[in-house]
Amino acid sequence: MGQASAMLDTYPADLGRIDRQALAACIEACFDCAQTCTACADACLSEDAVTELVRCIRTNLDCADICATTGRVLSRHTGYDANLTRAQLLACVQACKSCADECDRHAGMHEHCRVCAEACRRCQRACDELMSKLG
Amino acid sequence: MGQASAMLDTYPADLGRIDRQALAACIEACFDCAQTCTACADACLSEDAVTELVRCIRTNLDCADICATTGRVLSRHTGYDANLTRAQLLACVQACKSCADECDRHAGMHEHCRVCAEACRRCQRACDELMSKLG
Amino acid sequence: MGQASAMLDTYPADLGRIDRQALAACIEACFDCAQTCTACADACLSEDAVTELVRCIRTNLDCADICATTGRVLSRHTGYDANLTRAQLLACVQACKSCADECDRHAGMHEHCRVCAEACRRCQRACDELMSKLG
Amino acid sequence: MGQASAMLDTYPADLGRIDRQALAACIEACFDCAQTCTACADACLSEDAVTELVRCIRTNLDCADICATTGRVLSRHTGYDANLTRAQLLACVQACKSCADECDRHAGMHEHCRVCAEACRRCQRACDELMSKLG
């Protein structure tokens, strides 16, 4: 049980139709993925083969920023504006997919890329799941 | 001409088909809007009528985060992944539209909301313009 | 054990004298605190007594931004620049202290402030602990 | 005249003893520097000599995050908590100094590093100036 779920339990207002468990899981996946992508970019910068990882570093940085913002938008429980939430979730799904695909290409060589690809896939699934619950 | 444009002129790689002027204008509009929305949320918190501005504050905070991330993604010139760029631009257009609409409702009463609505409309147009050039 | 620790285990370079456990704990505390403060600001905005919580919301927003940045800087393992790491950790300690003190004042009334004050204290201690290990 | 200054003019509350011009200049320098460092990291990733620029990329990324957060904290006019403002300004001065020093080492070879070093020095001076006015 994570921090996002603990905070959701204290929320003073009605959360509307939103699925609390899917919301908490998605917030936590976004923050985890933001941390992992930031760390993966730095680990890539430490590899001798950094020239082959330039695209991976860029995708990591984009994914880190997009996941961080998505996690913040979701932490505001902005059910009041489903269009905004859905648009940001779609961007997050795209960023996680791009980053997971790129990290997968290096997963056999670099353990940090393997772990990062998993975090991206987890976040992508959590966003998809939450969108399917938004109706 | 601003900082984003000065940096674009120094870029060592081919920027591809992207319209440099539209890109620089969009980056600058995103950073401006992120600052303005952050300041507008704070100004709203200073109003006696803060209870009537709660929705405005939330939209400001979402818009600030989304514009900041969009400005960073664009600063990485990630033409290599047009799907990601376009998805984040779409989220930014939605955030700017929501925030401008909400700020417009208070623009007669609160000058900061009037200035902020203008910054949001400018950013929305810059994102639309850039998307139309992405092809 | 969390995501930050899993990524640290894959780091390809020497981490120098840094205490891995203290580093991983601090990164995770920073990300947790950033999420919690973002959610607490939003919960405060949902309270009828929002006018009494204006200062709490501001401190929450500052603390969220500062913890998020500190978590990113630490995720880059920037042992190479201890002055920078230490300066950002000092800012984080100050932000967590301010936010915990303010949230504590409302903890009896608002459960989200009680949970948030705890997250801030945890993050403050984790930063202090890491600084003591930086030598 | 920039956006931060326009928003300051609409602020509904007393800003206290703070020097408005120094505050607006510092906010704008922080947002400019955040954009420039993000773009410089990406430009470095596009250089053939990326292996020699790894340290520069890391410092750019740290400086971008720290300047962005400092710009946000200042946009909240948190005169109410001078300790927090000062601690974050000190971290920002340190980040700008580190990044300017590193970029200066490559300024002869890479125009983006030259422009970035200038933005960092400008931001460092603006933070120093604001701190001297905080009393």
Side-chain angles (χ1 to χ4, degrees):
Chain A
M1 260 295 306
Q3 195 66 26
S5 183
M7 282 305 283
L8 267 183
D9 288 344
T10 72
Y11 199 63
D14 186 10
L15 282 171
R17 298 165 307 155
I18 212 159
D19 183 306
R20 275 170 185 259
Q21 220 164 352
L23 178 59
C26 192
I27 294 170
E28 284 168 16
C30 284
F31 277 82
D32 268 359
C33 195
Q35 196 279 324
T36 307
C37 287
T38 304
C40 189
D42 191 69
C44 287
L45 284 169
S46 292
E47 296 287 355
D48 291 337
V50 60
T51 40
E52 294 157 35
L53 294 166
V54 160
R55 189 191 176 105
C56 192
I57 294 167
R58 280 186 172 124
T59 319
N60 275 325
L61 296 175
D62 280 347
C63 194
D65 284 341
I66 291 174
C67 287
T69 279
T70 308
R72 280 170 163 242
V73 169
L74 294 175
S75 297
R76 282 184 210 110
H77 320 313
T78 42
Y80 69 89
D81 190 345
N83 290 333
L84 177 53
T85 307
R86 190 174 287 107
Q88 189 56 42
L89 281 168
L90 279 171
C92 198
V93 164
Q94 186 63 52
C96 289
K97 193 188 162 336
S98 292
C99 196
D101 287 351
E102 184 61 32
C103 276
D104 267 344
R105 298 182 52 231
H106 314 286
M109 289 283 286
H110 305 303
E111 183 68 2
H112 48 86
C113 286
R114 194 189 60 71
V115 174
C116 188
E118 280 178 15
C120 292
R121 299 277 182 224
R122 240 185 345 259
C123 189
Q124 184 185 347
R125 278 194 304 270
C127 291
D128 277 330
E129 175 83 1
L130 182 60
M131 277 195 288
S132 75
K133 300 283 176 70
L134 288 178
Chain B
M1 269 309 306
Q3 194 66 28
S5 182
M7 283 304 284
L8 267 182
D9 288 343
T10 72
Y11 199 63
D14 186 10
L15 282 171
R17 299 163 307 156
I18 211 159
D19 183 306
R20 275 171 184 259
Q21 218 164 352
L23 178 59
C26 193
I27 293 171
E28 283 168 17
C30 284
F31 276 82
D32 268 359
C33 196
Q35 196 278 324
T36 308
C37 287
T38 304
C40 189
D42 191 69
C44 287
L45 283 170
S46 291
E47 297 286 354
D48 291 337
V50 60
T51 39
E52 294 158 35
L53 294 166
V54 160
R55 189 191 175 104
C56 192
I57 295 167
R58 279 185 173 125
T59 319
N60 276 324
L61 295 175
D62 280 348
C63 195
D65 285 340
I66 290 174
C67 286
T69 280
T70 308
R72 281 169 163 242
V73 169
L74 294 175
S75 297
R76 282 185 211 110
H77 321 313
T78 41
Y80 69 89
D81 191 345
N83 290 333
L84 177 52
T85 307
R86 190 174 285 108
Q88 189 56 42
L89 281 167
L90 279 171
C92 198
V93 164
Q94 186 61 55
C96 289
K97 192 187 165 335
S98 291
C99 196
D101 287 350
E102 184 60 33
C103 276
D104 267 343
R105 298 181 53 229
H106 314 286
M109 290 283 287
H110 306 304
E111 183 68 3
H112 48 85
C113 286
R114 193 188 61 72
V115 175
C116 188
E118 280 177 16
C120 292
R121 299 278 182 224
R122 244 190 335 265
C123 189
Q124 184 185 345
R125 278 194 303 270
C127 291
D128 276 331
E129 175 83 1
L130 182 60
M131 277 194 289
S132 76
K133 299 283 176 69
L134 287 179
Chain C
M1 268 311 302
Q3 193 67 28
S5 182
M7 282 304 284
L8 267 182
D9 288 344
T10 72
Y11 199 63
D14 186 10
L15 282 170
R17 297 164 308 155
I18 212 159
D19 183 306
R20 275 169 184 260
Q21 219 164 352
L23 178 59
C26 193
I27 293 171
E28 284 168 17
C30 284
F31 276 82
D32 268 0
C33 196
Q35 196 280 323
T36 307
C37 286
T38 303
C40 189
D42 190 69
C44 286
L45 283 170
S46 292
E47 297 287 355
D48 292 336
V50 59
T51 40
E52 294 157 35
L53 294 166
V54 160
R55 189 193 177 103
C56 192
I57 294 167
R58 279 186 172 123
T59 320
N60 275 323
L61 296 175
D62 281 347
C63 195
D65 285 340
I66 290 173
C67 286
T69 280
T70 309
R72 281 169 163 243
V73 169
L74 294 175
S75 296
R76 282 185 212 110
H77 320 313
T78 41
Y80 68 89
D81 190 345
N83 289 334
L84 177 52
T85 307
R86 190 173 286 108
Q88 189 56 42
L89 281 168
L90 279 170
C92 198
V93 164
Q94 186 61 55
C96 289
K97 193 188 164 335
S98 292
C99 196
D101 287 351
E102 184 60 33
C103 276
D104 267 343
R105 297 183 53 231
H106 313 286
M109 290 283 286
H110 305 304
E111 183 68 1
H112 48 85
C113 286
R114 194 189 60 72
V115 174
C116 188
E118 280 178 15
C120 292
R121 298 278 181 223
R122 243 189 337 262
C123 189
Q124 184 185 346
R125 278 194 303 270
C127 291
D128 276 332
E129 174 82 1
L130 182 60
M131 276 194 289
S132 75
K133 299 284 175 67
L134 287 177
Chain D
M1 262 296 307
Q3 194 66 27
S5 183
M7 282 304 283
L8 267 182
D9 288 344
T10 72
Y11 199 63
D14 186 11
L15 282 170
R17 299 164 307 156
I18 212 159
D19 182 305
R20 275 170 185 260
Q21 220 164 349
L23 178 59
C26 193
I27 294 172
E28 284 168 18
C30 284
F31 276 82
D32 268 359
C33 195
Q35 197 279 324
T36 307
C37 286
T38 303
C40 189
D42 190 68
C44 287
L45 284 169
S46 292
E47 297 287 354
D48 291 336
V50 59
T51 39
E52 293 157 36
L53 295 165
V54 161
R55 189 191 176 105
C56 192
I57 295 168
R58 280 185 172 124
T59 319
N60 275 323
L61 295 176
D62 280 348
C63 194
D65 285 340
I66 290 173
C67 286
T69 279
T70 308
R72 281 169 163 242
V73 168
L74 295 175
S75 296
R76 282 185 212 109
H77 319 313
T78 41
Y80 68 89
D81 191 345
N83 290 333
L84 176 52
T85 306
R86 190 173 287 108
Q88 189 57 43
L89 281 167
L90 279 170
C92 198
V93 164
Q94 186 62 53
C96 289
K97 195 189 164 333
S98 292
C99 195
D101 288 350
E102 184 61 33
C103 276
D104 267 343
R105 298 183 51 230
H106 314 286
M109 290 283 287
H110 306 303
E111 183 68 2
H112 48 85
C113 286
R114 194 189 60 73
V115 174
C116 188
E118 280 178 15
C120 292
R121 298 278 181 224
R122 242 188 339 262
C123 188
Q124 183 185 348
R125 278 195 302 270
C127 290
D128 277 332
E129 174 82 1
L130 182 59
M131 277 194 288
S132 76
K133 299 283 175 69
L134 288 178

